[in-house]
Amino acid sequence: MTTTTPPVARRSPPARRPRSPGRVPWWAYALLVFATFICVFPLYWMFVVASTDTATANQMPPAVIPGGNLPDRVDLVFSTVPFLRSMINSVVVAGCVGIGHAVMCSLAGFAFAKLNFRGRDTLFLVLVLTMTVPMQLAIIPQYLIVSELGWVDSLQAVIVPGLLLVSAFGIFWIRQHLSVTLSDELMQAARIDGANTWQIFWRIAFPIVRPAAFVLGLFSYVTAWNDFLWPFVVLKSPDNFTVQIAIKALQNNYDIDLGLAMAGSFLATLPLLVLFVFVGRRMVAGIMEGAFKG
């Protein structure tokens, strides 16, 4: 008589503890710390070089602790070139270009998104294709036009071309934003109430697209502030220099004082840092709103 042994029950592996949905893994924090270091270190290195002399900046290993020469370097920057005047010029130029781009891209984006006219899609395709053309190709004809108008060595020679060369990306962004957020029924209701096209844009479309237009204007402001090539071509006198041309004027043709150049660059970066401190949260909100609605 044979006996059978009952089967041995296998132990099930212990259940893993479910991760809470709000818990962030450690490597995400490490990645954020590394990205922050990569972004902040150039600014810190600029401050270090600006507070030391050229010999200290060129030594190996390089110095990583700031020196005590920053006040003297700042005084030398302001005594070498009219740096304060250049910063005011950059504020005027960048402000005009930023506000102009925000308004004009909003107008063009509204027209491409909600107005029906002949050749709209073809014209928009041509506009998008202009993003592949380098802006440097327009320097020679642009200079000839500015020279004929007598605007060479004046701020309008920088402001007006900056307003006319509206960003194709900005128009595309505003168009996509309005295509989703502004309904045709709302526009028809406004026309029934007697509103014309301009009133529909200014009272209905522009308030809807204002966060995206603010972000676009801020990007255009920073781009105009950092622009070097076209102001370097068209501006001649130190009183009309923008801040980037003033930094170039701190260097001569024979040697480069790294401490002096970095001190000027550090002073030119401070206004942008202050600007992003005050409007950074609003900028992120505008970007995220466009991302969720688009």
Side-chain angles (χ1 to χ4, degrees), residues 55-103:
T56 305
N58 291 330
Q59 70 181 8
M60 293 300 294
V64 294
I65 299 177
N69 297 332
L70 185 60
D72 297 335
R73 293 290 182 178
V74 171
D75 293 337
L76 186 58
V77 168
F78 284 100
S79 61
T80 304
V81 294
F83 201 81
L84 182 60
R85 175 70 182 219
S86 300
M87 295 185 72
I88 295 175
N89 293 338
S90 291
V91 170
V92 173
V93 171
C96 293
V97 172
I99 295 174
H101 274 198
V103 175

Side-chain angles (χ1 to χ4, degrees), residues 94 97-99 101-102 212-222:
V97 172
I99 295 174
H101 274 198
F214 176 81
V215 175
L216 178 62
L218 185 61
F219 286 163
S220 300
Y221 183 95
V222 175

Side-chain angles (χ1 to χ4, degrees), residues 179-276:
S179 298
V180 177
T181 56
L182 182 59
S183 62
D184 296 333
E185 291 78 8
L186 183 59
M187 293 183 58
Q188 292 175 3
R191 292 191 185 277
I192 292 174
D193 290 338
N196 55 29
T197 303
W198 171 255
Q199 291 173 337
I200 292 175
F201 167 77
W202 188 249
R203 296 183 180 180
I204 300 177
F206 190 72
I208 293 175
V209 82
R210 188 178 298 164
F214 176 81
V215 175
L216 178 62
L218 185 61
F219 286 163
S220 300
Y221 183 95
V222 175
T223 302
W225 181 277
N226 294 327
D227 189 17
F228 172 78
L229 181 58
W230 175 244
F232 181 71
V233 171
V234 79
L235 298 178
K236 308 298 181 183
S237 60
D239 290 336
N240 293 326
F241 282 172
T242 58
V243 66
Q244 305 300 329
I245 310 305
I247 295 174
K248 173 63 175 66
L250 294 173
Q251 309 170 15
N252 54 42
N253 296 327
Y254 301 100
D255 59 350
I256 298 176
D257 190 343
L258 290 179
L260 185 63
M262 288 299 178
S265 301
F266 181 74
L267 292 175
T269 308
L270 282 180
L272 296 182
L273 295 178
V274 174
L275 178 65
F276 278 106

